[in-house]
Amino acid sequence: MSPVGTPGIVVAVDGSAQADAAVAWATQEAIMRQLPITLLHVVTPLETGWPPGPMHEGVPTWQADEATRILTRAREVVESNRGEAGSPEVHAEMAYAQVVSTLIGATKGSWMTVTGSTGLGSIGRLLLGSVSTSLIHHGYGPIAVIGNDRTGAKDAPVVVGIDGSPVSERATALAFDEASRRGVSLVALHAWSDVGVMPILNMDRRSYEVQGHEVLAERLAGYQEQYPDVTVERRVLCDQPARWLLKAADNAQLVIVGSHGRGGFASQLLGSVSSAVAHGARTPVIVVRPDPS
């Protein structure tokens, strides 16, 4: 077994269909990037005064057996999704601790953390929806949220939300890299969230659009030189960034956003935007969180 937080891709697994989808997606990502993958199942300690029964290395035997079944199932999903590209290096880890804090800790040492959008958590008491929400608000690095009902054509573009913040900058870098590796185009979306006050303050909508195009040109210039193979479609839109990102997600294979930044998405924390997109999009979503440092 590998330690939690092995540099590579960590996937939270719980035996649900959503977790299986997360493992399948993570397998392809690991193969594409030649990274190891760690399947992590967290067993929640029982909160009861009754004796837990037979124990296995400090864990009630029935919970340990269930964890083994779940991890075995996750390995099978990896094998069934590796195709002809070969299997990535796979590790399995069981942790006997609180789910959310353990997974947040795992994000500190992983390149990317992947979780299902919903699903049963440890011993059926915690929804993975709650776990994914906690990770995209408190985790570190890229957090991928995957659902078994989230699909996207392999030739569909990657979508990135850009606001000019440091976290948005990292999201943009990842989006270009993902689009290049997948051989698809990139849709760069920039939206203003305070347009609704323009009539009150007598603001000129055109000035927002001009400024938005300037932000996009500035933020995309260096990456377009670094990734000349990626065709970029620029979209400057007014108001409701989450709404426009969700609409763009319908025709994308992946959406990437930053978390907790200000800029083009003025007056609205990207944390709320990223949460809305992660749980509402019909395609896989990567929320880029700040690094542990």
Side-chain angles (χ1 to χ4, degrees), residues 25 29 146 152 156-160 178-179 182 249 252-256 283-286:
W25 186 90
E29 188 76 9
I146 316 297
V158 171
V159 172
V160 61
E178 288 283 346
R182 295 164 186 264
Q253 65 170 284
L254 177 65
V255 177
I256 302 176
T283 192
V285 175
I286 298 177

Side-chain angles (χ1 to χ4, degrees), residues 98-160:
Q98 296 301 314
V99 176
V100 172
S101 59
T102 301
L103 291 175
I104 290 175
T107 67
K108 296 180 180 179
S110 62
W111 180 81
M112 176 184 286
T113 306
V114 184
T115 180
S117 56
T118 59
L120 289 176
S122 181
I123 65 172
R125 295 189 303 176
L126 183 64
L127 287 176
L128 266 182
S130 300
V131 172
S132 58
T133 297
S134 297
L135 289 180
I136 62 179
H137 284 292
H138 305 292
Y140 298 91
I143 309 294
V145 181
I146 316 297
N148 66 341
D149 57 344
R150 300 184 178 197
T151 59
K154 291 186 177 180
D155 60 347
V158 171
V159 172
V160 61

